[in-house]
Amino acid sequence: MEYLELLLKGLIVLFPFAFHWMLITYKWSFRKIEKELIKVLVTGAAGQIGYAILPMIARGVMLGPNQPVTLHLFDNIKQVDEALNGIKMELIDAAFPLLKGVIATTDIVEACKDVNIAVMLGGLLRKEGMERMDMMSKNMSIYMAQALALGKHATADCKVLVFAKPSNTNALILKEFAPSIPEKNIRCLTRLDYNRALNQIAKRLKVHASDVKNIIIWGNHSSTHHPDVNHATFTTKNGERLVREHVASDHWLKTEFINTVQHRGLAINKARKASSALSAASVACDHICDWVFRTPKGMWVSMGVCSDGSYGIKLGLIYSFPIKCENGKWSIVQGLKIDEFSRAKMEATAKELIEEASFAKSCLNEQ
């Protein structure tokens, strides 16, 4: 009995100290799980896509509901400085819980300082009557300057996503002029083409787009890219089924389907008298989200990455492949059978990219 009384008295004496220690331990464990701030650069931030994507990032659509961010807004057009500041004020007024700061600038060095992710939307738009090569030549100097700034001032593991057209070749320029950034961290966006293809198949099969998966976009983000459904499946109440076996017309898959996906952007532009902005912003968030976290099990998406020679594509080209991601790393899906029709389309879009790369090199040599 005496022993129990002594034990009880000891516990009473020690309890406040034990409780205090537990409280401190809890607070420190909470601090450890707090996510480190991520700085996200958005170039062309004063444009339509920039205006659409910024609140998505601030709300956690891109990096998750618990990830604090600072946004770096950049535009290379000096005349939009006032508009950038207006967007900054709107972001602040929205009081997004995850948004810890906003920098709005037309100084590329300030914009790139210590950024972890760069979403490259800025570039000269292709106007009516302008040839693709004319647009490319005017964008060369823009992307060379941005690449140099990123390479010097961004974090060493900065993830770069290029969307401004010609996105594959702009990404190639970034790769060449920002050698300090790993080439595996420089990508271009073909997720919009991928999602457009999903929706066309879903419409044809009378299912929801979320029931369709594993379409592939091969090649260039241009009218030559190839939407390939040979390995695509869709979910029914009786399990997964192959898309090709359930689409009634092979002719439709080789003609109207491809043409609709390739020219969907032009159709939207004609309908709304402006380019795709909302959908482009949304898929850029999807791309980064999958890259940072992972693609769902049993599923791949399409991303423009530096070719390692897979599927016979020239080494070093920025080319869209089927990609799986996990924990910030990605890999090209290997071993997929390619039929003659798809092979011809893949080679045609690769040929266009080789020509663009050669043209870009000649333009840069003249500067």
Side-chain angles (χ1 to χ4, degrees):
M1 188 68 178
E2 185 178 342
Y3 172 76
L4 290 174
E5 288 178 0
L6 287 171
L7 181 62
L8 184 59
K9 287 179 181 179
L11 289 173
I12 291 170
V13 171
L14 290 173
F15 179 77
F17 298 100
F19 179 77
H20 183 64
W21 178 82
M22 289 171 63
L23 186 61
I24 291 173
T25 303
Y26 171 76
K27 286 181 177 178
W28 275 105
S29 65
F30 179 75
R31 287 180 183 179
K32 286 179 183 177
I33 63 172
E34 284 183 344
K35 292 191 174 183
E36 189 175 344
L37 182 73
I38 289 180
K39 297 180 179 180
V40 182
L41 165 66
V42 177
T43 72
Q48 290 191 72
I49 303 174
Y51 192 72
I53 200 172
L54 290 166
M56 294 183 186
I57 301 170
R59 198 176 286 278
V61 175
M62 177 181 283
L63 296 169
N66 301 310
Q67 178 60 63
V69 295
T70 293
L71 287 172
H72 290 216
L73 283 54
F74 171 78
D75 213 298
N76 61 308
I77 304 172
K78 296 289 184 182
Q79 292 87 336
V80 303
D81 188 49
E82 191 174 347
L84 278 180
N85 283 319
I87 296 170
K88 176 181 177 178
M89 287 187 281
E90 283 202 81
L91 288 166
I92 292 169
D93 291 348
F96 295 106
L98 295 173
L99 186 58
K100 304 305 180 184
V102 183
I103 294 171
T105 182
T106 55
D107 180 347
I108 188 60
V109 171
E110 181 184 10
C112 292
K113 184 67 174 174
D114 298 327
V115 295
N116 308 101
I117 293 173
V119 182
M120 315 298 286
L121 306 176
L124 183 73
L125 296 176
R126 186 177 179 182
K127 299 176 181 177
E128 188 174 351
M130 179 184 285
E131 294 295 328
R132 183 175 174 86
M133 292 303 185
D134 291 336
M135 175 186 63
M136 281 181 58
S137 65
K138 294 181 185 301
N139 276 324
M140 295 296 109
S141 58
I142 294 172
Y143 269 80
M144 184 171 66
Q146 293 180 4
L148 292 170
L150 273 174
K152 189 172 181 179
H153 301 286
T155 58
D157 62 344
C158 180
K159 289 178 166 60
V160 184
L161 175 63
V162 179
F163 184 60
K165 293 181 180 179
S167 55
N168 298 61
T169 302
N170 285 340
L172 187 67
I173 293 167
L174 276 165
K175 181 172 77 75
E176 295 300 320
F177 285 91
S180 62
I181 297 176
E183 65 178 28
K184 62 183 176 61
N185 280 15
I186 297 176
R187 323 271 284 272
C188 78
L189 188 70
T190 56
R191 183 61 173 268
L192 186 54
D193 307 310
Y194 175 85
N195 280 15
R196 287 167 173 169
L198 287 181
N199 278 285
Q200 292 304 311
I201 291 297
K203 181 180 178 182
R204 181 79 178 190
L205 295 174
K206 296 181 173 56
V207 297
H208 193 270
S210 61
D211 293 322
V212 184
K213 67 178 184 180
N214 295 348
I215 288 174
I216 304 168
I217 299 298
W218 297 105
N220 198 3
H221 178 59
S222 72
S223 60
T224 69
H225 75 257
H226 176 49
D228 178 359
V229 303
N230 284 326
H231 306 278
T233 63
F234 69 104
T235 303
T236 72
K237 62 181 180 180
N238 297 317
E240 289 190 354
R241 297 289 184 266
L242 288 172
V243 164
R244 180 168 282 282
E245 291 179 359
H246 287 265
V247 171
S249 172
D250 193 59
H251 176 74
W252 179 83
L253 284 173
K254 290 183 176 181
T255 55
E256 186 181 337
F257 165 67
I258 292 175
N259 186 64
T260 299
V261 175
Q262 288 177 340
H263 298 96
R264 182 70 165 183
L266 290 175
I268 291 170
N269 201 320
K270 183 178 180 181
R272 69 183 296 263
K273 305 299 185 289
S275 61
S276 308
L278 177 62
S279 56
S282 179
V283 297
C285 289
D286 291 341
H287 179 118
I288 296 290
C289 185
D290 284 342
W291 186 2
V292 170
F293 297 104
R294 63 174 298 163
T295 46
K297 187 176 180 180
M299 175 180 165
W300 63 68
V301 293
S302 292
M303 299 178 174
V305 301
C306 185
S307 173
D308 61 359
S310 293
Y311 297 101
I313 302 305
K314 184 179 178 181
L315 189 71
L317 279 185
I318 304 294
Y319 190 97
S320 182
F321 290 95
I323 300 290
K324 287 186 176 181
C325 304
E326 187 168 3
N327 298 325
K329 297 180 180 180
W330 59 268
S331 61
I332 297 172
V333 177
Q334 298 292 338
L336 299 175
K337 186 178 179 180
I338 309 298
D339 64 14
E340 290 184 11
F341 179 81
S342 292
R343 173 57 65 187
K345 295 289 186 181
M346 289 166 65
E347 290 177 356
T349 191
K351 181 173 181 286
E352 181 183 56
L353 280 170
I354 292 169
E355 290 171 355
E356 284 187 9
S358 177
F359 180 77
K361 186 176 180 179
S362 67
C363 288
L364 293 170
N365 287 339
E366 294 173 4
Q367 293 185 14

